[in-house]
Short mmCIF file of all heavy atoms in Angstrom, two decimals:
data_model
loop_
_atom_site.label_atom_id
_atom_site.label_comp_id
_atom_site.label_asym_id
_atom_site.label_seq_id
_atom_site.Cartn_x
_atom_site.Cartn_y
_atom_site.Cartn_z
N PRO A 1 42.21 2.33 2.33
CA PRO A 1 42.95 3.53 2.55
C PRO A 1 42.12 4.79 2.44
O PRO A 1 42.33 5.75 3.21
CB PRO A 1 44.02 3.46 1.50
CG PRO A 1 44.30 2.07 1.25
CD PRO A 1 42.91 1.46 1.25
N LEU A 2 41.16 4.79 1.48
CA LEU A 2 40.23 5.90 1.32
C LEU A 2 39.36 6.01 2.56
O LEU A 2 39.02 7.09 3.02
CB LEU A 2 39.43 5.75 0.04
CG LEU A 2 38.56 6.96 -0.35
CD1 LEU A 2 39.38 8.21 -0.61
CD2 LEU A 2 37.69 6.50 -1.62
N ALA A 3 38.89 4.86 3.03
CA ALA A 3 38.08 4.91 4.26
C ALA A 3 38.88 5.38 5.42
O ALA A 3 38.31 6.17 6.19
CB ALA A 3 37.57 3.46 4.54
N ALA A 4 40.08 5.00 5.53
CA ALA A 4 40.93 5.48 6.62
C ALA A 4 41.20 6.97 6.55
O ALA A 4 41.25 7.65 7.55
CB ALA A 4 42.24 4.65 6.66
N GLY A 5 41.41 7.45 5.33
CA GLY A 5 41.81 8.83 5.19
C GLY A 5 40.63 9.82 5.11
O GLY A 5 40.73 10.90 5.63
N GLU A 6 39.57 9.41 4.46
CA GLU A 6 38.47 10.32 4.12
C GLU A 6 37.08 9.91 4.76
O GLU A 6 36.15 10.66 4.62
CB GLU A 6 38.31 10.55 2.63
CG GLU A 6 39.57 11.15 2.03
CD GLU A 6 39.38 11.43 0.53
OE1 GLU A 6 38.27 11.64 0.14
OE2 GLU A 6 40.43 11.43 -0.18
N GLY A 7 37.10 8.67 5.32
CA GLY A 7 35.85 8.24 5.91
C GLY A 7 34.77 7.79 5.00
O GLY A 7 33.60 7.74 5.39
N VAL A 8 35.07 7.48 3.75
CA VAL A 8 34.15 7.06 2.79
C VAL A 8 34.57 5.62 2.23
O VAL A 8 35.75 5.39 2.06
CB VAL A 8 33.91 7.98 1.59
CG1 VAL A 8 33.30 9.27 2.14
CG2 VAL A 8 35.16 8.24 0.85
N LEU A 9 33.55 4.85 1.94
CA LEU A 9 33.83 3.44 1.45
C LEU A 9 33.01 3.28 0.17
O LEU A 9 31.86 2.94 0.16
CB LEU A 9 33.40 2.42 2.48
CG LEU A 9 33.91 0.97 2.19
CD1 LEU A 9 35.38 0.83 2.48
CD2 LEU A 9 33.11 -0.04 3.00
N PRO A 10 33.62 3.53 -1.04
CA PRO A 10 32.91 3.43 -2.33
C PRO A 10 32.53 1.93 -2.57
O PRO A 10 33.32 1.06 -2.35
CB PRO A 10 33.85 4.02 -3.33
CG PRO A 10 34.99 4.70 -2.58
CD PRO A 10 35.01 4.04 -1.22
N SER A 11 31.38 1.77 -3.18
CA SER A 11 30.99 0.38 -3.62
C SER A 11 30.00 0.44 -4.73
O SER A 11 29.09 1.32 -4.77
CB SER A 11 30.34 -0.39 -2.39
OG SER A 11 29.86 -1.61 -2.81
N MET A 12 30.22 -0.43 -5.68
CA MET A 12 29.27 -0.58 -6.81
C MET A 12 28.21 -1.64 -6.48
O MET A 12 27.38 -1.92 -7.39
CB MET A 12 30.03 -0.89 -8.11
CG MET A 12 30.95 0.29 -8.49
SD MET A 12 32.25 -0.20 -9.59
CE MET A 12 33.21 1.33 -9.64
N LEU A 13 28.18 -2.22 -5.32
CA LEU A 13 27.19 -3.10 -4.90
C LEU A 13 26.00 -2.31 -4.32
O LEU A 13 26.19 -1.16 -3.88
CB LEU A 13 27.69 -4.04 -3.81
CG LEU A 13 28.85 -5.00 -4.25
CD1 LEU A 13 29.41 -5.71 -2.99
CD2 LEU A 13 28.44 -5.97 -5.29
N ASP A 14 24.84 -2.88 -4.38
CA ASP A 14 23.71 -2.33 -3.65
C ASP A 14 24.05 -2.06 -2.16
O ASP A 14 24.35 -3.04 -1.46
CB ASP A 14 22.46 -3.20 -3.77
CG ASP A 14 21.20 -2.61 -3.21
OD1 ASP A 14 21.29 -1.92 -2.19
OD2 ASP A 14 20.13 -2.95 -3.75
N LEU A 15 24.01 -0.86 -1.71
CA LEU A 15 24.58 -0.55 -0.38
C LEU A 15 23.80 -1.26 0.77
O LEU A 15 24.40 -1.52 1.85
CB LEU A 15 24.53 0.94 -0.12
CG LEU A 15 25.37 1.81 -1.02
CD1 LEU A 15 25.38 3.30 -0.61
CD2 LEU A 15 26.84 1.31 -1.07
N ASP A 16 22.53 -1.56 0.54
CA ASP A 16 21.70 -2.16 1.63
C ASP A 16 21.46 -3.67 1.43
O ASP A 16 20.75 -4.23 2.21
CB ASP A 16 20.42 -1.38 1.76
CG ASP A 16 20.66 0.06 2.15
OD1 ASP A 16 21.34 0.28 3.17
OD2 ASP A 16 20.13 0.95 1.46
N ARG A 17 21.92 -4.20 0.40
CA ARG A 17 21.65 -5.60 0.03
C ARG A 17 22.78 -6.53 0.54
O ARG A 17 23.97 -6.34 0.11
CB ARG A 17 21.35 -5.81 -1.43
CG ARG A 17 21.12 -7.23 -1.90
CD ARG A 17 21.00 -7.19 -3.39
NE ARG A 17 21.02 -8.54 -3.94
CZ ARG A 17 21.00 -8.82 -5.25
NH1 ARG A 17 21.05 -7.85 -6.14
NH2 ARG A 17 21.07 -10.09 -5.66
N ALA A 18 22.45 -7.57 1.30
CA ALA A 18 23.49 -8.55 1.71
C ALA A 18 24.01 -9.29 0.56
O ALA A 18 23.26 -9.74 -0.30
CB ALA A 18 22.89 -9.45 2.81
N GLN A 19 25.30 -9.44 0.54
CA GLN A 19 26.08 -10.03 -0.59
C GLN A 19 26.92 -11.22 -0.06
O GLN A 19 27.59 -11.08 0.93
CB GLN A 19 26.87 -9.00 -1.30
CG GLN A 19 27.78 -9.54 -2.33
CD GLN A 19 27.13 -10.05 -3.58
OE1 GLN A 19 26.12 -9.53 -3.98
NE2 GLN A 19 27.67 -11.14 -4.16
N ARG A 20 26.88 -12.33 -0.78
CA ARG A 20 27.87 -13.39 -0.45
C ARG A 20 29.23 -12.90 -0.66
O ARG A 20 29.61 -12.28 -1.70
CB ARG A 20 27.58 -14.60 -1.29
CG ARG A 20 26.40 -15.48 -0.85
CD ARG A 20 26.20 -16.64 -1.75
NE ARG A 20 25.83 -16.22 -3.07
CZ ARG A 20 24.56 -15.98 -3.39
NH1 ARG A 20 23.58 -16.16 -2.58
NH2 ARG A 20 24.24 -15.65 -4.66
N MET A 21 30.10 -13.05 0.37
CA MET A 21 31.53 -12.74 0.26
C MET A 21 32.34 -13.81 0.96
O MET A 21 31.87 -14.53 1.87
CB MET A 21 31.77 -11.39 0.95
CG MET A 21 30.99 -10.23 0.46
SD MET A 21 31.30 -8.70 1.36
CE MET A 21 29.95 -7.65 0.76
N VAL A 22 33.59 -13.97 0.51
CA VAL A 22 34.47 -14.97 1.14
C VAL A 22 35.86 -14.47 1.22
O VAL A 22 36.34 -13.75 0.42
CB VAL A 22 34.38 -16.33 0.36
CG1 VAL A 22 35.00 -16.14 -1.04
CG2 VAL A 22 35.08 -17.44 1.11
N ALA A 23 36.53 -14.86 2.32
CA ALA A 23 37.99 -14.48 2.56
C ALA A 23 38.86 -15.43 1.73
O ALA A 23 38.62 -16.61 1.57
CB ALA A 23 38.36 -14.52 4.00
N THR A 24 39.92 -14.87 1.21
CA THR A 24 40.85 -15.65 0.45
C THR A 24 41.52 -16.78 1.30
O THR A 24 41.86 -17.83 0.79
CB THR A 24 41.89 -14.90 -0.26
OG1 THR A 24 42.60 -14.06 0.74
CG2 THR A 24 41.34 -14.00 -1.31
N ALA A 25 41.64 -16.50 2.59
CA ALA A 25 42.19 -17.58 3.46
C ALA A 25 41.24 -18.82 3.48
O ALA A 25 41.76 -19.91 3.53
CB ALA A 25 42.26 -17.03 4.93
N ASP A 26 39.92 -18.58 3.45
CA ASP A 26 38.98 -19.71 3.35
C ASP A 26 39.13 -20.44 1.99
O ASP A 26 39.01 -21.66 1.87
CB ASP A 26 37.56 -19.24 3.65
CG ASP A 26 37.25 -19.15 5.08
OD1 ASP A 26 37.80 -19.98 5.89
OD2 ASP A 26 36.44 -18.27 5.46
N ILE A 27 39.29 -19.64 0.92
CA ILE A 27 39.38 -20.28 -0.42
C ILE A 27 40.59 -21.13 -0.41
O ILE A 27 40.51 -22.35 -0.83
CB ILE A 27 39.54 -19.16 -1.43
CG1 ILE A 27 38.24 -18.31 -1.54
CG2 ILE A 27 39.86 -19.80 -2.85
CD1 ILE A 27 38.38 -17.10 -2.46
N GLY A 28 41.76 -20.70 0.01
CA GLY A 28 42.95 -21.48 0.02
C GLY A 28 42.86 -22.69 0.91
O GLY A 28 43.34 -23.83 0.54
N ARG A 29 42.26 -22.52 2.08
CA ARG A 29 42.09 -23.70 3.00
C ARG A 29 41.26 -24.75 2.36
O ARG A 29 41.62 -25.97 2.37
CB ARG A 29 41.55 -23.19 4.31
CG ARG A 29 41.21 -24.36 5.29
CD ARG A 29 40.55 -23.87 6.53
NE ARG A 29 39.29 -23.15 6.30
CZ ARG A 29 38.11 -23.71 6.01
NH1 ARG A 29 37.98 -25.10 5.98
NH2 ARG A 29 37.03 -23.06 5.79
#
C-alpha cells in the first residue's frame, strides 16, 4: 500500500542482493 500510495518500497534486505523468496501458495502445495 505504501508503494501504491507514495511510490516507495521499504526493505531491510540489501537492496541489490538477490534473495531466496517463496510464495505461500508453493509452500502449501
Side-chain angles (χ1 to χ4, degrees):
L2 187 62
E6 300 184 25
V8 294
L9 192 75
S11 177
M12 294 160 189
L13 300 172
D14 184 326
L15 297 184
D16 297 308
R17 177 183 169 187
Q19 170 69 35
R20 283 179 293 274
M21 303 177 192
V22 65
T24 54
D26 277 328
I27 296 171
R29 175 184 58 79

